[in-house]
Amino acid sequence: MSYLENAKALRSAMDGVGAVLTDEQAASYKLIYPHWSGNGVAYVTGDRRQYDGALYKCLQSHTSQPDWTPTAAPSLWAKVLIPDQGTIPEWEQPESTNPYMAGDKVTHNGKTWVSDIDNNVWEPGVYGWSVYNG
């Protein structure tokens, strides 16, 4: 088998494994996901791509356009907000498409918070969060 054939087989294997990972697992191995491209790529619901240092999941099938970046098209892409349970990221305002789940931890306004509810889109300190003293 040639180097090119080996590379294609490896890419195919990574795509197959990447498709079955949870968002948390995927964020831990985001390097296996290709970078987003706006050059007419056909994306399908569930595809994951790297963009601007973060991992995004495709929400609806579409063909990419240069101005439909993951950060500019929230109806097409949702940022994976919790990279892994071992990391406590800074809180980001989620969309309804990528809410925090019960047990997710974030930092915000100098405190660490844990989500008390699934599908949490509220700001810590407003509703659905408890101060984490872990």
Side-chain angles (χ1 to χ4, degrees):
M1 196 181 277
S2 73
Y3 289 117
L4 180 58
E5 289 169 328
N6 281 335
K8 287 180 179 180
L10 179 59
R11 177 76 259 166
S12 178
M14 288 189 306
D15 290 344
V17 168
V20 298
L21 296 178
T22 65
D23 284 346
E24 179 183 338
Q25 293 167 328
S28 296
Y29 300 102
K30 71 179 179 186
L31 291 177
I32 70 170
Y33 297 96
H35 288 270
W36 176 85
S37 172
N39 297 327
V41 175
Y43 291 113
V44 297
T45 302
D47 280 351
R48 293 185 182 104
R49 292 297 181 266
Q50 294 182 61
Y51 183 77
D52 201 23
L55 187 65
Y56 288 81
K57 184 166 39 175
C58 181
L59 300 175
Q60 56 182 304
S61 299
H62 66 282
T63 299
S64 66
Q65 296 181 21
D67 57 341
W68 289 356
T69 67
T71 55
S75 64
L76 299 176
W77 296 97
K79 184 177 184 182
V80 177
L81 295 176
I82 301 292
D84 63 70
Q85 292 300 320
T87 301
I88 301 176
E90 181 69 26
W91 177 80
E92 294 182 47
Q93 177 65 59
E95 303 289 334
S96 62
T97 56
N98 65 339
Y100 292 100
M101 302 307 281
D104 285 347
K105 296 174 190 73
V106 298
T107 59
H108 184 62
N109 291 335
K111 296 178 183 175
T112 300
W113 301 83
V114 61
S115 178
D116 298 324
I117 58 174
D118 282 338
N119 302 310
N120 191 345
V121 296
W122 295 90
E123 179 179 1
V126 174
Y127 175 79
W129 296 89
S130 297
V131 174
Y132 178 72
N133 295 314

